[in-house]
Amino acid sequence: MSPTIKLLQGNEACVEGALAAGIQFYGGYPITPSTEIAELLAEKMPRVGSAFIQMEDEIAAMAAVIGASLTGAKSMTATSGPGFSLKQENLGYAIYTEIPCVIVNVMRGGPSTGLPTSPSQSDVMQARWGTHGDHPVIALCPSSVEETFWLTIRAFNLAEKYRTAVILLLDEVVGHMRERIEIPDHVDNVLTRKKPSVGREGYRPYQPDADLIPPMASFGEGYRYHVTGLTHDETGFPTNDTEKAGILIDRLHKKIDNNLDDIVEIETQMMEDAEIMVVAYGSTARSASRAVKDARALGIKAGLFRPITIWPFPANELKQYLPQLKQVIVAEMNLGQLILEVERNVAGKAPVHGVLRGDGELITPTQILARIKEVQ
Amino acid sequence: MSAYEKYLRNNRLPHILCSGCGHGIIMGAITRAIEKADLDQDRTVVVSGIGCSSRLPGYMDFDTLHTTHGRALGFATGVKFAKPELNVIVIMGDGDALAIGGNHFIHACRRNINITTIILNNNVYGMTSGQFSPMTPQGHFATTAPYGNVDRNFDICELSRAAGATYVARGSAYHAVMLTDLITKAIFNPGFSVVEAISQCPTYYGRKNKQGTAVDMLNAQKENCVTVAASAKITSDQMQGKIIIGELHKSEAPEYTAVYRNIVDSLQAKEMK
């Protein structure tokens, strides 16, 4: 069968991606500019026999998603900045207890209630450090409607494969703009979590395999195991043993850090001989792409470096360009978040400049081009 | 070995609760009720939040989920809605259920989702060593109410009924046999059920309010609790300071997962045509 061609919003493409990935449970709470995701899933999920619930608040929605995932259901929630703040408590729970789930955050202007209908990229650091404690995070950031479809599937795959919460960071522009998208009739490589190969007697719920990921039994299958947000050992029961606490937190980081090749994805444009690197992600990368092309037309050796996986930050990928770089520009719709990570990795080997704005307006190609010309 | 002992994780015992705490008696009542209701041990999930009461599922041999403070019902709703064939029992404390979890609690009542909730009410935050809770009576003392509690307390059962729970009962640790019976009935109710289980905290609440030993506090439960039937026969003056125990409310209403299932079935029937 041929793919279906549609004109969709990013939020709609996210729904199509979730359905293609086999979503079985959605728990949410209305918030602009993510609401279309909930509205469409409310219509579509009962038709395929899967569970849609609107909870009393964002906290409960995140809790319900985790509870559902424990029964084996592929689970997702969607929100925006203020709601994402409320989800942080149980996001940390999902990461620490290794319960797969997907959290979509369609970023809007903040802080606080901020600019509900305006674009922003100001939750980059909230995605990384919003929940308390030391923890690894996976966050993906699409730049187009079509990419939103594929990254939603990838978010489910990474959540299931690595037993963790995966954040999909859309910005309001990507969420609401309409583009042509080809939706395939069938999607290959849809992953599901690893199940235990032993029975109840031999099952230790947090005993990892060689890949550092423990197989996950579903509630109701007779394994009768315990899950807690307290520090726990391989049996799943709480412990105050500092050695065991160290083993657990190390493993949670290593299961991600050992697989950066699989998790980290970037796109580059004209970086081969670039002396000026523009780092941009989400909708801002579209402006940056235009600016880089315009700069080339003026004879300036500029290139685009676009993190698709935003956390873990693509440090190795960025560092390989350092020897050739004379200037680095970071364009983002906030007053300087990912630029900190870029500066940390550039480590003084080239000047790093920002094209930053936090007023709810898009960053235009002209703005970025002006900066390129200024620093060349 | 008692009939209900198979529901306990004996290798996790003894529990961490203080001596004289009522929670162990109530855990006994819950497990006896599960035995009486003959729930499938492999198809029953016990969920809790944070606090003294929330440690109980760790000792109970089911799929058990110890969550975040006040959020047990959010997690439990996800479990039940994703897999309605599972039996879901939630154990919460009074601060856990009614302060930080108050919003989740009233909405779970409103949905009438088939979850059995037991609120262990010891009138205090015990795990953090004795602050006043939404169930600490006005004028009583706590570490954060050194001059007497300014707040008024909730009536858990009135709140549950008003919010839409279809089975509401109150029991006490002293009346453990009756409590077992009430929890069993709550399990059988095909909707959202609330059982308030009055517990004693001699370590913090009792000591701060000069209520004596655990035995004194249990005797106070014996003296102060009046059954629903007995309460109908005494005057309102005689009811001063008394607590009514027994089945307080029962009603019928469509159950949440069943209503959703009907929608799914009718949509799928249309697709077949």
Side-chain angles (χ1 to χ4, degrees), chain A residues 50 56 89-90 93 219-220 224 226-228, chain B residues 42-43 63-64 66 68 71 83 104 111 260:
Chain A
S50 54
E56 59 273 15
E89 177 192 43
N90 289 330
Y93 186 92
F219 275 11
R224 303 210 301 261
H226 189 60
V227 176
T228 179
Chain B
D42 290 338
R43 312 285 281 169
D63 282 317
T64 50
H66 178 221
T68 44
R71 320 299 179 208
K83 231 183 206 178
H104 311 308
R111 279 185 203 106
Y260 190 82

mmCIF file with all atom_site columns, all heavy atoms in Angstrom, chain A residues 50 56 89-90 93 219-220 224 226-228, chain B residues 42-43 63-64 66 68 71 83 104 111 260:
data_model
loop_
_atom_site.group_PDB
_atom_site.id
_atom_site.type_symbol
_atom_site.label_atom_id
_atom_site.label_alt_id
_atom_site.label_comp_id
_atom_site.label_asym_id
_atom_site.label_entity_id
_atom_site.label_seq_id
_atom_site.pdbx_PDB_ins_code
_atom_site.Cartn_x
_atom_site.Cartn_y
_atom_site.Cartn_z
_atom_site.occupancy
_atom_site.B_iso_or_equiv
_atom_site.pdbx_formal_charge
_atom_site.auth_seq_id
_atom_site.auth_comp_id
_atom_site.auth_asym_id
_atom_site.auth_atom_id
_atom_site.pdbx_PDB_model_num
ATOM 1   N N   . SER A 1 50  ? -8.064  1.365   22.806 1.00 0.00 ? 50  SER A N   1
ATOM 2   C CA  . SER A 1 50  ? -7.059  1.742   23.800 1.00 0.00 ? 50  SER A CA  1
ATOM 3   C C   . SER A 1 50  ? -7.606  2.847   24.706 1.00 0.00 ? 50  SER A C   1
ATOM 4   O O   . SER A 1 50  ? -8.659  3.419   24.439 1.00 0.00 ? 50  SER A O   1
ATOM 5   C CB  . SER A 1 50  ? -5.748  2.137   23.118 1.00 0.00 ? 50  SER A CB  1
ATOM 6   O OG  . SER A 1 50  ? -5.964  3.126   22.155 1.00 0.00 ? 50  SER A OG  1
ATOM 7   N N   . GLU A 1 56  ? -7.440  14.845  36.630 1.00 0.00 ? 56  GLU A N   1
ATOM 8   C CA  . GLU A 1 56  ? -7.812  16.077  37.329 1.00 0.00 ? 56  GLU A CA  1
ATOM 9   C C   . GLU A 1 56  ? -6.704  17.122  37.305 1.00 0.00 ? 56  GLU A C   1
ATOM 10  O O   . GLU A 1 56  ? -6.971  18.304  37.543 1.00 0.00 ? 56  GLU A O   1
ATOM 11  C CB  . GLU A 1 56  ? -8.220  15.774  38.773 1.00 0.00 ? 56  GLU A CB  1
ATOM 12  C CG  . GLU A 1 56  ? -7.166  15.086  39.638 1.00 0.00 ? 56  GLU A CG  1
ATOM 13  C CD  . GLU A 1 56  ? -7.194  13.580  39.508 1.00 0.00 ? 56  GLU A CD  1
ATOM 14  O OE1 . GLU A 1 56  ? -7.811  13.065  38.555 1.00 0.00 ? 56  GLU A OE1 1
ATOM 15  O OE2 . GLU A 1 56  ? -6.584  12.904  40.370 1.00 0.00 ? 56  GLU A OE2 1
ATOM 16  N N   . GLU A 1 89  ? 7.653   15.866  39.299 1.00 0.00 ? 89  GLU A N   1
ATOM 17  C CA  . GLU A 1 89  ? 7.727   14.970  40.451 1.00 0.00 ? 89  GLU A CA  1
ATOM 18  C C   . GLU A 1 89  ? 7.676   13.507  40.001 1.00 0.00 ? 89  GLU A C   1
ATOM 19  O O   . GLU A 1 89  ? 8.543   12.699  40.337 1.00 0.00 ? 89  GLU A O   1
ATOM 20  C CB  . GLU A 1 89  ? 6.539   15.273  41.381 1.00 0.00 ? 89  GLU A CB  1
ATOM 21  C CG  . GLU A 1 89  ? 6.461   14.365  42.579 1.00 0.00 ? 89  GLU A CG  1
ATOM 22  C CD  . GLU A 1 89  ? 5.127   14.507  43.311 1.00 0.00 ? 89  GLU A CD  1
ATOM 23  O OE1 . GLU A 1 89  ? 4.074   14.572  42.655 1.00 0.00 ? 89  GLU A OE1 1
ATOM 24  O OE2 . GLU A 1 89  ? 5.152   14.551  44.541 1.00 0.00 ? 89  GLU A OE2 1
ATOM 25  N N   . ASN A 1 90  ? 6.660   13.201  39.211 1.00 0.00 ? 90  ASN A N   1
ATOM 26  C CA  . ASN A 1 90  ? 6.498   11.800  38.805 1.00 0.00 ? 90  ASN A CA  1
ATOM 27  C C   . ASN A 1 90  ? 7.361   11.430  37.603 1.00 0.00 ? 90  ASN A C   1
ATOM 28  O O   . ASN A 1 90  ? 7.585   10.241  37.354 1.00 0.00 ? 90  ASN A O   1
ATOM 29  C CB  . ASN A 1 90  ? 5.030   11.488  38.557 1.00 0.00 ? 90  ASN A CB  1
ATOM 30  C CG  . ASN A 1 90  ? 4.246   11.450  39.860 1.00 0.00 ? 90  ASN A CG  1
ATOM 31  O OD1 . ASN A 1 90  ? 4.801   11.103  40.913 1.00 0.00 ? 90  ASN A OD1 1
ATOM 32  N ND2 . ASN A 1 90  ? 2.977   11.818  39.819 1.00 0.00 ? 90  ASN A ND2 1
ATOM 33  N N   . TYR A 1 93  ? 10.112  9.926   39.234 1.00 0.00 ? 93  TYR A N   1
ATOM 34  C CA  . TYR A 1 93  ? 9.709   8.576   39.672 1.00 0.00 ? 93  TYR A CA  1
ATOM 35  C C   . TYR A 1 93  ? 9.866   7.577   38.532 1.00 0.00 ? 93  TYR A C   1
ATOM 36  O O   . TYR A 1 93  ? 10.397  6.478   38.710 1.00 0.00 ? 93  TYR A O   1
ATOM 37  C CB  . TYR A 1 93  ? 8.257   8.618   40.169 1.00 0.00 ? 93  TYR A CB  1
ATOM 38  C CG  . TYR A 1 93  ? 7.779   7.311   40.773 1.00 0.00 ? 93  TYR A CG  1
ATOM 39  C CD1 . TYR A 1 93  ? 7.896   7.086   42.152 1.00 0.00 ? 93  TYR A CD1 1
ATOM 40  C CD2 . TYR A 1 93  ? 7.229   6.307   39.988 1.00 0.00 ? 93  TYR A CD2 1
ATOM 41  C CE1 . TYR A 1 93  ? 7.471   5.895   42.716 1.00 0.00 ? 93  TYR A CE1 1
ATOM 42  C CE2 . TYR A 1 93  ? 6.807   5.106   40.545 1.00 0.00 ? 93  TYR A CE2 1
ATOM 43  C CZ  . TYR A 1 93  ? 6.930   4.907   41.911 1.00 0.00 ? 93  TYR A CZ  1
ATOM 44  O OH  . TYR A 1 93  ? 6.515   3.714   42.452 1.00 0.00 ? 93  TYR A OH  1
ATOM 45  N N   . PHE A 1 219 ? 2.471   -5.854  35.709 1.00 0.00 ? 219 PHE A N   1
ATOM 46  C CA  . PHE A 1 219 ? 1.581   -6.165  36.834 1.00 0.00 ? 219 PHE A CA  1
ATOM 47  C C   . PHE A 1 219 ? 0.459   -7.067  36.329 1.00 0.00 ? 219 PHE A C   1
ATOM 48  O O   . PHE A 1 219 ? -0.049  -6.877  35.225 1.00 0.00 ? 219 PHE A O   1
ATOM 49  C CB  . PHE A 1 219 ? 0.997   -4.872  37.418 1.00 0.00 ? 219 PHE A CB  1
ATOM 50  C CG  . PHE A 1 219 ? 1.887   -4.202  38.433 1.00 0.00 ? 219 PHE A CG  1
ATOM 51  C CD1 . PHE A 1 219 ? 3.204   -4.588  38.624 1.00 0.00 ? 219 PHE A CD1 1
ATOM 52  C CD2 . PHE A 1 219 ? 1.399   -3.164  39.226 1.00 0.00 ? 219 PHE A CD2 1
ATOM 53  C CE1 . PHE A 1 219 ? 4.021   -3.970  39.567 1.00 0.00 ? 219 PHE A CE1 1
ATOM 54  C CE2 . PHE A 1 219 ? 2.193   -2.532  40.176 1.00 0.00 ? 219 PHE A CE2 1
ATOM 55  C CZ  . PHE A 1 219 ? 3.509   -2.931  40.344 1.00 0.00 ? 219 PHE A CZ  1
ATOM 56  N N   . GLY A 1 220 ? 0.111   -8.040  37.156 1.00 0.00 ? 220 GLY A N   1
ATOM 57  C CA  . GLY A 1 220 ? -0.976  -8.940  36.780 1.00 0.00 ? 220 GLY A CA  1
ATOM 58  C C   . GLY A 1 220 ? -0.505  -10.213 36.101 1.00 0.00 ? 220 GLY A C   1
ATOM 59  O O   . GLY A 1 220 ? -1.316  -11.066 35.752 1.00 0.00 ? 220 GLY A O   1
ATOM 60  N N   . ARG A 1 224 ? 4.374   -10.634 41.070 1.00 0.00 ? 224 ARG A N   1
ATOM 61  C CA  . ARG A 1 224 ? 4.163   -10.102 42.426 1.00 0.00 ? 224 ARG A CA  1
ATOM 62  C C   . ARG A 1 224 ? 5.406   -9.390  42.960 1.00 0.00 ? 224 ARG A C   1
ATOM 63  O O   . ARG A 1 224 ? 5.988   -9.797  43.960 1.00 0.00 ? 224 ARG A O   1
ATOM 64  C CB  . ARG A 1 224 ? 3.721   -11.218 43.379 1.00 0.00 ? 224 ARG A CB  1
ATOM 65  C CG  . ARG A 1 224 ? 2.463   -11.922 42.927 1.00 0.00 ? 224 ARG A CG  1
ATOM 66  C CD  . ARG A 1 224 ? 1.637   -12.454 44.069 1.00 0.00 ? 224 ARG A CD  1
ATOM 67  N NE  . ARG A 1 224 ? 2.300   -13.399 44.924 1.00 0.00 ? 224 ARG A NE  1
ATOM 68  C CZ  . ARG A 1 224 ? 2.170   -14.726 44.837 1.00 0.00 ? 224 ARG A CZ  1
ATOM 69  N NH1 . ARG A 1 224 ? 1.377   -15.265 43.905 1.00 0.00 ? 224 ARG A NH1 1
ATOM 70  N NH2 . ARG A 1 224 ? 2.788   -15.507 45.691 1.00 0.00 ? 224 ARG A NH2 1
ATOM 71  N N   . HIS A 1 226 ? 7.679   -5.585  43.795 1.00 0.00 ? 226 HIS A N   1
ATOM 72  C CA  . HIS A 1 226 ? 7.495   -4.295  44.460 1.00 0.00 ? 226 HIS A CA  1
ATOM 73  C C   . HIS A 1 226 ? 8.204   -3.199  43.667 1.00 0.00 ? 226 HIS A C   1
ATOM 74  O O   . HIS A 1 226 ? 9.317   -3.393  43.194 1.00 0.00 ? 226 HIS A O   1
ATOM 75  C CB  . HIS A 1 226 ? 8.076   -4.366  45.875 1.00 0.00 ? 226 HIS A CB  1
ATOM 76  C CG  . HIS A 1 226 ? 7.764   -3.178  46.731 1.00 0.00 ? 226 HIS A CG  1
ATOM 77  N ND1 . HIS A 1 226 ? 6.478   -2.804  47.037 1.00 0.00 ? 226 HIS A ND1 1
ATOM 78  C CD2 . HIS A 1 226 ? 8.569   -2.270  47.363 1.00 0.00 ? 226 HIS A CD2 1
ATOM 79  C CE1 . HIS A 1 226 ? 6.502   -1.720  47.819 1.00 0.00 ? 226 HIS A CE1 1
ATOM 80  N NE2 . HIS A 1 226 ? 7.765   -1.383  48.031 1.00 0.00 ? 226 HIS A NE2 1
ATOM 81  N N   . VAL A 1 227 ? 7.535   -2.062  43.542 1.00 0.00 ? 227 VAL A N   1
ATOM 82  C CA  . VAL A 1 227 ? 8.122   -0.903  42.878 1.00 0.00 ? 227 VAL A CA  1
ATOM 83  C C   . VAL A 1 227 ? 8.071   0.266   43.859 1.00 0.00 ? 227 VAL A C   1
ATOM 84  O O   . VAL A 1 227 ? 7.023   0.536   44.449 1.00 0.00 ? 227 VAL A O   1
ATOM 85  C CB  . VAL A 1 227 ? 7.335   -0.536  41.600 1.00 0.00 ? 227 VAL A CB  1
ATOM 86  C CG1 . VAL A 1 227 ? 7.888   0.735   40.969 1.00 0.00 ? 227 VAL A CG1 1
ATOM 87  C CG2 . VAL A 1 227 ? 7.356   -1.681  40.591 1.00 0.00 ? 227 VAL A CG2 1
ATOM 88  N N   . THR A 1 228 ? 9.194   0.948   44.040 1.00 0.00 ? 228 THR A N   1
ATOM 89  C CA  . THR A 1 228 ? 9.225   2.092   44.952 1.00 0.00 ? 228 THR A CA  1
ATOM 90  C C   . THR A 1 228 ? 10.139  3.183   44.412 1.00 0.00 ? 228 THR A C   1
ATOM 91  O O   . THR A 1 228 ? 11.132  2.887   43.742 1.00 0.00 ? 228 THR A O   1
ATOM 92  C CB  . THR A 1 228 ? 9.694   1.676   46.374 1.00 0.00 ? 228 THR A CB  1
ATOM 93  O OG1 . THR A 1 228 ? 9.734   2.848   47.202 1.00 0.00 ? 228 THR A OG1 1
ATOM 94  C CG2 . THR A 1 228 ? 11.078  1.029   46.367 1.00 0.00 ? 228 THR A CG2 1
ATOM 95  N N   . ASP B 2 42  ? -2.410  -13.134 42.162 1.00 0.00 ? 42  ASP B N   1
ATOM 96  C CA  . ASP B 2 42  ? -1.630  -12.713 40.993 1.00 0.00 ? 42  ASP B CA  1
ATOM 97  C C   . ASP B 2 42  ? -2.320  -11.617 40.172 1.00 0.00 ? 42  ASP B C   1
ATOM 98  O O   . ASP B 2 42  ? -1.742  -11.096 39.232 1.00 0.00 ? 42  ASP B O   1
ATOM 99  C CB  . ASP B 2 42  ? -1.359  -13.908 40.069 1.00 0.00 ? 42  ASP B CB  1
ATOM 100 C CG  . ASP B 2 42  ? -0.373  -14.886 40.679 1.00 0.00 ? 42  ASP B CG  1
ATOM 101 O OD1 . ASP B 2 42  ? 0.391   -14.463 41.572 1.00 0.00 ? 42  ASP B OD1 1
ATOM 102 O OD2 . ASP B 2 42  ? -0.374  -16.058 40.263 1.00 0.00 ? 42  ASP B OD2 1
ATOM 103 N N   . ARG B 2 43  ? -3.558  -11.326 40.517 1.00 0.00 ? 43  ARG B N   1
ATOM 104 C CA  . ARG B 2 43  ? -4.306  -10.335 39.731 1.00 0.00 ? 43  ARG B CA  1
ATOM 105 C C   . ARG B 2 43  ? -4.752  -9.181  40.610 1.00 0.00 ? 43  ARG B C   1
ATOM 106 O O   . ARG B 2 43  ? -5.753  -8.529  40.333 1.00 0.00 ? 43  ARG B O   1
ATOM 107 C CB  . ARG B 2 43  ? -5.552  -10.991 39.096 1.00 0.00 ? 43  ARG B CB  1
ATOM 108 C CG  . ARG B 2 43  ? -5.280  -12.303 38.385 1.00 0.00 ? 43  ARG B CG  1
ATOM 109 C CD  . ARG B 2 43  ? -4.593  -12.120 37.066 1.00 0.00 ? 43  ARG B CD  1
ATOM 110 N NE  . ARG B 2 43  ? -5.502  -11.708 36.015 1.00 0.00 ? 43  ARG B NE  1
ATOM 111 C CZ  . ARG B 2 43  ? -5.090  -11.292 34.822 1.00 0.00 ? 43  ARG B CZ  1
ATOM 112 N NH1 . ARG B 2 43  ? -3.800  -11.204 34.561 1.00 0.00 ? 43  ARG B NH1 1
ATOM 113 N NH2 . ARG B 2 43  ? -5.960  -10.962 33.907 1.00 0.00 ? 43  ARG B NH2 1
ATOM 114 N N   . ASP B 2 63  ? 1.462   -7.649  43.429 1.00 0.00 ? 63  ASP B N   1
ATOM 115 C CA  . ASP B 2 63  ? 2.168   -6.587  42.724 1.00 0.00 ? 63  ASP B CA  1
ATOM 116 C C   . ASP B 2 63  ? 1.917   -5.332  43.534 1.00 0.00 ? 63  ASP B C   1
ATOM 117 O O   . ASP B 2 63  ? 0.750   -4.962  43.760 1.00 0.00 ? 63  ASP B O   1
ATOM 118 C CB  . ASP B 2 63  ? 1.634   -6.429  41.295 1.00 0.00 ? 63  ASP B CB  1
ATOM 119 C CG  . ASP B 2 63  ? 2.172   -7.509  40.369 1.00 0.00 ? 63  ASP B CG  1
ATOM 120 O OD1 . ASP B 2 63  ? 3.376   -7.813  40.441 1.00 0.00 ? 63  ASP B OD1 1
ATOM 121 O OD2 . ASP B 2 63  ? 1.380   -8.051  39.579 1.00 0.00 ? 63  ASP B OD2 1
ATOM 122 N N   . THR B 2 64  ? 2.986   -4.694  44.002 1.00 0.00 ? 64  THR B N   1
ATOM 123 C CA  . THR B 2 64  ? 2.808   -3.576  44.935 1.00 0.00 ? 64  THR B CA  1
ATOM 124 C C   . THR B 2 64  ? 3.568   -2.350  44.434 1.00 0.00 ? 64  THR B C   1
ATOM 125 O O   . THR B 2 64  ? 4.675   -2.452  43.910 1.00 0.00 ? 64  THR B O   1
ATOM 126 C CB  . THR B 2 64  ? 3.285   -3.961  46.347 1.00 0.00 ? 64  THR B CB  1
ATOM 127 O OG1 . THR B 2 64  ? 4.600   -4.522  46.265 1.00 0.00 ? 64  THR B OG1 1
ATOM 128 C CG2 . THR B 2 64  ? 2.348   -4.961  46.985 1.00 0.00 ? 64  THR B CG2 1
ATOM 129 N N   . HIS B 2 66  ? 4.654   1.513   45.489 1.00 0.00 ? 66  HIS B N   1
ATOM 130 C CA  . HIS B 2 66  ? 4.852   2.547   46.514 1.00 0.00 ? 66  HIS B CA  1
ATOM 131 C C   . HIS B 2 66  ? 5.224   3.818   45.763 1.00 0.00 ? 66  HIS B C   1
ATOM 132 O O   . HIS B 2 66  ? 6.306   3.915   45.204 1.00 0.00 ? 66  HIS B O   1
ATOM 133 C CB  . HIS B 2 66  ? 5.979   2.056   47.437 1.00 0.00 ? 66  HIS B CB  1
ATOM 134 C CG  . HIS B 2 66  ? 6.367   3.005   48.519 1.00 0.00 ? 66  HIS B CG  1
ATOM 135 N ND1 . HIS B 2 66  ? 7.674   3.219   48.870 1.00 0.00 ? 66  HIS B ND1 1
ATOM 136 C CD2 . HIS B 2 66  ? 5.631   3.797   49.334 1.00 0.00 ? 66  HIS B CD2 1
ATOM 137 C CE1 . HIS B 2 66  ? 7.727   4.097   49.867 1.00 0.00 ? 66  HIS B CE1 1
ATOM 138 N NE2 . HIS B 2 66  ? 6.509   4.456   50.160 1.00 0.00 ? 66  HIS B NE2 1
ATOM 139 N N   . THR B 2 68  ? 4.444   8.308   44.959 1.00 0.00 ? 68  THR B N   1
ATOM 140 C CA  . THR B 2 68  ? 4.831   9.605   45.510 1.00 0.00 ? 68  THR B CA  1
ATOM 141 C C   . THR B 2 68  ? 3.731   10.103  46.455 1.00 0.00 ? 68  THR B C   1
ATOM 142 O O   . THR B 2 68  ? 2.602   9.605   46.440 1.00 0.00 ? 68  THR B O   1
ATOM 143 C CB  . THR B 2 68  ? 5.058   10.619  44.368 1.00 0.00 ? 68  THR B CB  1
ATOM 144 O OG1 . THR B 2 68  ? 4.000   10.494  43.415 1.00 0.00 ? 68  THR B OG1 1
ATOM 145 C CG2 . THR B 2 68  ? 6.370   10.358  43.666 1.00 0.00 ? 68  THR B CG2 1
ATOM 146 N N   . ARG B 2 71  ? -0.170  10.782  45.656 1.00 0.00 ? 71  ARG B N   1
ATOM 147 C CA  . ARG B 2 71  ? -0.491  10.457  44.255 1.00 0.00 ? 71  ARG B CA  1
ATOM 148 C C   . ARG B 2 71  ? -0.943  9.022   44.041 1.00 0.00 ? 71  ARG B C   1
ATOM 149 O O   . ARG B 2 71  ? -1.110  8.603   42.892 1.00 0.00 ? 71  ARG B O   1
ATOM 150 C CB  . ARG B 2 71  ? 0.709   10.723  43.345 1.00 0.00 ? 71  ARG B CB  1
ATOM 151 C CG  . ARG B 2 71  ? 1.517   11.967  43.636 1.00 0.00 ? 71  ARG B CG  1
ATOM 152 C CD  . ARG B 2 71  ? 0.715   13.235  43.509 1.00 0.00 ? 71  ARG B CD  1
ATOM 153 N NE  . ARG B 2 71  ? 1.542   14.398  43.817 1.00 0.00 ? 71  ARG B NE  1
ATOM 154 C CZ  . ARG B 2 71  ? 1.076   15.523  44.305 1.00 0.00 ? 71  ARG B CZ  1
ATOM 155 N NH1 . ARG B 2 71  ? -0.210  15.687  44.563 1.00 0.00 ? 71  ARG B NH1 1
ATOM 156 N NH2 . ARG B 2 71  ? 1.886   16.525  44.549 1.00 0.00 ? 71  ARG B NH2 1
ATOM 157 N N   . LYS B 2 83  ? -5.796  -1.884  32.735 1.00 0.00 ? 83  LYS B N   1
ATOM 158 C CA  . LYS B 2 83  ? -6.091  -3.325  32.859 1.00 0.00 ? 83  LYS B CA  1
ATOM 159 C C   . LYS B 2 83  ? -7.246  -3.507  33.846 1.00 0.00 ? 83  LYS B C   1
ATOM 160 O O   . LYS B 2 83  ? -7.035  -3.873  35.006 1.00 0.00 ? 83  LYS B O   1
ATOM 161 C CB  . LYS B 2 83  ? -4.841  -4.063  33.367 1.00 0.00 ? 83  LYS B CB  1
ATOM 162 C CG  . LYS B 2 83  ? -4.449  -5.277  32.519 1.00 0.00 ? 83  LYS B CG  1
ATOM 163 C CD  . LYS B 2 83  ? -3.248  -5.965  33.141 1.00 0.00 ? 83  LYS B CD  1
ATOM 164 C CE  . LYS B 2 83  ? -2.458  -6.730  32.095 1.00 0.00 ? 83  LYS B CE  1
ATOM 165 N NZ  . LYS B 2 83  ? -1.263  -7.384  32.652 1.00 0.00 ? 83  LYS B NZ  1
ATOM 166 N N   . HIS B 2 104 ? -6.764  14.501  44.051 1.00 0.00 ? 104 HIS B N   1
ATOM 167 C CA  . HIS B 2 104 ? -6.850  13.182  43.417 1.00 0.00 ? 104 HIS B CA  1
ATOM 168 C C   . HIS B 2 104 ? -7.966  12.363  44.074 1.00 0.00 ? 104 HIS B C   1
ATOM 169 O O   . HIS B 2 104 ? -8.694  11.625  43.425 1.00 0.00 ? 104 HIS B O   1
ATOM 170 C CB  . HIS B 2 104 ? -5.519  12.438  43.531 1.00 0.00 ? 104 HIS B CB  1
ATOM 171 C CG  . HIS B 2 104 ? -4.348  13.274  43.107 1.00 0.00 ? 104 HIS B CG  1
ATOM 172 N ND1 . HIS B 2 104 ? -4.320  13.932  41.900 1.00 0.00 ? 104 HIS B ND1 1
ATOM 173 C CD2 . HIS B 2 104 ? -3.188  13.593  43.742 1.00 0.00 ? 104 HIS B CD2 1
ATOM 174 C CE1 . HIS B 2 104 ? -3.180  14.612  41.802 1.00 0.00 ? 104 HIS B CE1 1
ATOM 175 N NE2 . HIS B 2 104 ? -2.489  14.431  42.906 1.00 0.00 ? 104 HIS B NE2 1
ATOM 176 N N   . ARG B 2 111 ? -15.224 9.816   39.739 1.00 0.00 ? 111 ARG B N   1
ATOM 177 C CA  . ARG B 2 111 ? -15.213 8.907   38.578 1.00 0.00 ? 111 ARG B CA  1
ATOM 178 C C   . ARG B 2 111 ? -15.894 7.575   38.883 1.00 0.00 ? 111 ARG B C   1
ATOM 179 O O   . ARG B 2 111 ? -16.272 6.857   37.974 1.00 0.00 ? 111 ARG B O   1
ATOM 180 C CB  . ARG B 2 111 ? -13.770 8.602   38.164 1.00 0.00 ? 111 ARG B CB  1
ATOM 181 C CG  . ARG B 2 111 ? -13.161 9.671   37.333 1.00 0.00 ? 111 ARG B CG  1
ATOM 182 C CD  . ARG B 2 111 ? -11.781 9.281   36.831 1.00 0.00 ? 111 ARG B CD  1
ATOM 183 N NE  . ARG B 2 111 ? -11.098 10.520  36.533 1.00 0.00 ? 111 ARG B NE  1
ATOM 184 C CZ  . ARG B 2 111 ? -10.137 11.057  37.271 1.00 0.00 ? 111 ARG B CZ  1
ATOM 185 N NH1 . ARG B 2 111 ? -9.661  10.406  38.303 1.00 0.00 ? 111 ARG B NH1 1
ATOM 186 N NH2 . ARG B 2 111 ? -9.648  12.215  36.951 1.00 0.00 ? 111 ARG B NH2 1
ATOM 187 N N   . TYR B 2 260 ? -16.480 3.401   29.790 1.00 0.00 ? 260 TYR B N   1
ATOM 188 C CA  . TYR B 2 260 ? -15.534 3.561   28.676 1.00 0.00 ? 260 TYR B CA  1
ATOM 189 C C   . TYR B 2 260 ? -15.594 2.331   27.759 1.00 0.00 ? 260 TYR B C   1
ATOM 190 O O   . TYR B 2 260 ? -15.593 2.462   26.539 1.00 0.00 ? 260 TYR B O   1
ATOM 191 C CB  . TYR B 2 260 ? -14.121 3.762   29.224 1.00 0.00 ? 260 TYR B CB  1
ATOM 192 C CG  . TYR B 2 260 ? -13.116 4.168   28.155 1.00 0.00 ? 260 TYR B CG  1
ATOM 193 C CD1 . TYR B 2 260 ? -13.015 5.491   27.743 1.00 0.00 ? 260 TYR B CD1 1
ATOM 194 C CD2 . TYR B 2 260 ? -12.274 3.234   27.549 1.00 0.00 ? 260 TYR B CD2 1
ATOM 195 C CE1 . TYR B 2 260 ? -12.109 5.880   26.760 1.00 0.00 ? 260 TYR B CE1 1
ATOM 196 C CE2 . TYR B 2 260 ? -11.360 3.607   26.570 1.00 0.00 ? 260 TYR B CE2 1
ATOM 197 C CZ  . TYR B 2 260 ? -11.286 4.929   26.185 1.00 0.00 ? 260 TYR B CZ  1
ATOM 198 O OH  . TYR B 2 260 ? -10.380 5.307   25.211 1.00 0.00 ? 260 TYR B OH  1
#
